[in-house]
């Protein structure tokens, strides 16, 4: 009997005619990423890029719940609490994977069906052809666990129209397919019951034009989402460079969207909110994805030395009481110098060959 490694079980890699198929295979965990999975994905991309017989790569997730719920932060939480020096290994290998996907030399088609959050965004939204469905629920929910949008989130979010990326990054709210397309995280809406047929067609395409024609044959109009419908409110209230000003702008409005947004923000980690906004504003001025990934890695390293990440994961995934006790607990207690410690020189941490 042939024994398979953990990575081979968690990531299924196969050739289907001229397509390379990568299937995440942890359905009970909504395909949350582990370090062996990150390594398997990286190796699969290398294999398929080197294979002249492969015309495109398709990423999909096993199970009905979603493509990927993100990185397995419970593991990072446990390693960090134990003081294990390997705690940074996951991000140290995940972020270069995100960059490799962004620079992949062949069409990279991501089936963003169901839940696509955090690290799941990192392995899909950096791709060249991103497909969402009526079941898609996309989010960068990190401020709710005392963290911040990483995996290149500080590169992607500022590119959304107006302040939509700021709203997404600070609230961490999940949005639908229409919103994902509007924000620039996806390209096409394809009904979920057409994905298998699309997969079959993609397995017979031989060039970029064929990939795009195959997708276009199944794509339909995804309609309007929350972001487009509330764009004026979002731009008016999230245009500021301090979280306090955003709170103040929301509090002066008397519409349901503003009230609900403010209520969500008031539950998030004050430190995470201030750090996230800073990273998004820096990302808006950044010249490259590498620059943002390096900065995020430095900030994540500091996060592991602080309280809120561990408290957020405890409340959401360990004790599951949904009652995090942030420290500091109030926005006005988070000082500028507190945020500056997350923004140390980050050049060359992950990509020494690309010194900033």
């Amino acid at each position: 009997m042939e024994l398979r490694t953990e990575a081979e079980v968690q990531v299924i890699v196969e050739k289907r005619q001229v397509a390379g198929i990568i299937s995440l295979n942890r359905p009970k965990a909504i395909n949350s990423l582990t370090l062996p999975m990150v390594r398997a994905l990286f190796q699969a991309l290398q294999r398929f890029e080197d294979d002249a017989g492969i015309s495109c790569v398709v990423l999909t997730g096993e199970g009905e719940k979603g493509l990927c719920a993100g990185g397995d932060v419970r593991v990072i939480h446990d390693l960090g609490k134990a003081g294990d020096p390997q705690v940074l290994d996951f991000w140290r290998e995940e972020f270069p994977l995100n960059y490799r996907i962004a620079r992949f030399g062949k069409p990279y088609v991501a089936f963003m069906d169901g839940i696509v959050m955090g690290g799941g965004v990192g392995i899909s939204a950096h791709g060249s052809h991103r497909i969402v469905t009526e079941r898609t629920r996309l989010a960068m929910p990190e401020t709710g666990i005392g963290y911040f949008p990483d995996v290149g989130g500080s590169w992607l979010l500022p590119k959304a129209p107006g302040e939509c990326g700021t709203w997404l990054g600070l609230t961490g709210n999940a949005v639908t397919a229409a919103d994902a397309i509007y924000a620039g995280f996806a390209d096409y809406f394809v009904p979920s019951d057409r994905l298998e047929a699309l997969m079959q067609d993609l397995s017979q395409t031989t060039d970029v034009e064929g990939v795009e024609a195959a997708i276009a044959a199944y794509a339909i109009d995804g309609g309007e989402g929350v972001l487009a419908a509330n764009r004026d409110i979002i731009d008016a209230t999230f245009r500021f460079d301090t979280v306090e000003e955003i709170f103040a702008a929301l509090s002066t409005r008397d519409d349901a969207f503003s009230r609900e947004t403010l209520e969500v923000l008031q539950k998030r980690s004050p430190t995470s909110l201030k750090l996230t906004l800073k990273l998004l504003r820096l990302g808006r001025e950044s010249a490259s994805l590498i620059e943002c990934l390096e900065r995020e890695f430095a900030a994540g390293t500091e996060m592991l030395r602080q309280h809120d990440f561990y408290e957020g994961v405890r409340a959401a995934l360990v004790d599951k009481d949904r009652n995090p006790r942030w420290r500091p607990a109030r926005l006005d207690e988070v000082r500028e110098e507190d945020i500056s410690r997350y923004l140390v020189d980050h050049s060359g941490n992950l990509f020494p060959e690309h010194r900033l």
Side-chain angles (χ1 to χ4, degrees):
M1 178 180 178
E2 182 181 359
L3 297 177
R4 294 191 296 167
T5 67
E6 181 181 9
E8 290 171 330
V9 171
Q10 295 180 345
V11 178
I12 301 169
V13 181
E14 59 181 323
K15 289 180 64 173
R16 189 177 301 181
Q17 294 176 265
V18 296
I21 312 298
I22 302 175
S23 299
L24 307 182
N25 189 35
R26 291 186 73 205
K28 291 182 179 179
I30 320 180
N31 300 313
S32 294
L33 296 172
T34 64
L35 183 55
M37 292 171 74
V38 167
R39 290 171 174 167
L41 283 164
F42 199 96
Q43 292 165 4
L45 291 181
Q46 183 68 56
R47 167 188 163 189
F48 288 141
E49 190 156 41
D50 292 342
D51 187 339
I54 293 296
S55 298
C56 71
V57 167
V58 180
L59 175 73
T60 187
E62 296 296 316
E64 296 296 319
K65 293 184 178 180
L67 171 66
C68 177
D72 197 333
V73 294
R74 175 65 186 270
V75 172
I76 297 173
H77 166 278
D78 293 349
L79 290 173
K81 291 285 279 188
D84 192 315
Q86 296 183 31
V87 65
L88 289 171
D89 288 353
F90 180 78
W91 293 330
R92 189 175 282 116
E93 298 194 39
E94 181 191 26
F95 290 7
L97 171 65
N98 303 143
Y99 180 68
R100 182 162 184 74
I101 290 169
R103 296 291 300 272
F104 193 63
K106 299 177 181 180
Y108 180 97
V109 185
F111 284 5
M112 301 166 71
D113 187 31
I115 291 173
V116 185
M117 297 185 179
V121 174
I123 59 170
S124 57
H126 291 296
S128 60
H129 298 75
R130 303 152 313 167
I131 296 170
V132 285
T133 77
E134 78 284 354
R135 303 190 298 194
T136 298
R137 295 295 180 270
L138 181 142
M140 298 297 286
E142 290 83 0
T143 58
I145 60 165
Y147 191 58
F148 61 89
D150 62 354
V151 297
S154 62
W155 174 253
L156 293 168
L157 288 164
K159 290 176 168 48
E163 297 296 338
C164 289
T166 311
W167 182 90
L168 285 166
L170 292 182
T171 66
N173 283 353
V175 295
T176 63
D179 295 306
I181 293 173
Y182 185 78
F185 282 73
D187 307 297
Y188 309 92
F189 180 97
V190 175
S192 59
D193 61 4
R194 299 185 184 183
L195 291 179
E196 185 54 41
L198 173 56
M199 179 87 78
Q200 293 297 327
D201 286 359
L202 289 172
S203 69
Q204 301 174 54
T205 62
T206 57
D207 52 32
V208 176
E209 290 75 16
V211 167
E212 293 176 349
I215 297 172
Y218 292 94
I220 63 174
D221 184 356
E224 183 181 70
V226 170
L227 296 179
N230 294 280
R231 172 72 185 278
D232 290 345
I233 297 173
I234 292 171
D235 286 356
T237 55
F238 281 80
R239 61 188 175 87
F240 303 100
D241 291 333
T242 70
V243 180
E244 287 89 346
E245 289 174 294
I246 292 172
F247 271 53
L250 288 167
S251 65
T252 62
R253 300 186 61 91
D254 190 27
D255 58 90
F257 181 82
S258 296
R259 288 195 300 271
E260 291 166 7
T261 295
L262 183 58
E263 185 177 344
V264 168
L265 292 175
Q266 288 170 337
K267 297 177 182 177
R268 303 310 191 214
S269 158
T271 299
S272 292
L273 290 176
K274 288 199 171 185
L275 176 59
T276 295
L277 184 60
K278 184 68 173 180
L279 290 171
L280 295 182
R281 295 301 185 249
L282 289 170
R284 181 177 286 173
E285 305 301 324
S286 294
S288 68
L289 171 59
I290 282 182
E291 184 177 345
C292 290
L293 288 168
E294 293 272 20
R295 189 182 294 117
E296 291 167 9
F297 183 75
T301 301
E302 181 61 27
M303 271 289 185
L304 293 177
R305 302 188 183 107
Q306 304 301 326
H307 168 268
D308 276 9
F309 171 71
Y310 298 105
E311 175 62 9
V313 175
R314 178 206 65 77
L317 300 174
V318 182
D319 298 335
K320 301 182 181 179
D321 59 21
R322 306 291 175 184
N323 185 33
R325 296 173 178 83
W326 307 123
R327 192 190 305 160
R330 293 158 39 112
L331 280 175
D332 59 10
E333 295 174 333
V334 183
R335 302 165 301 173
E336 187 67 29
E337 53 265 37
D338 296 328
I339 298 303
S340 65
R341 68 164 59 101
Y342 296 91
L343 304 172
V344 297
D345 177 31
H346 53 276
S347 59
N349 289 341
L350 293 178
F351 304 92
E353 68 277 19
H354 295 278
R355 295 294 297 183
L356 300 179

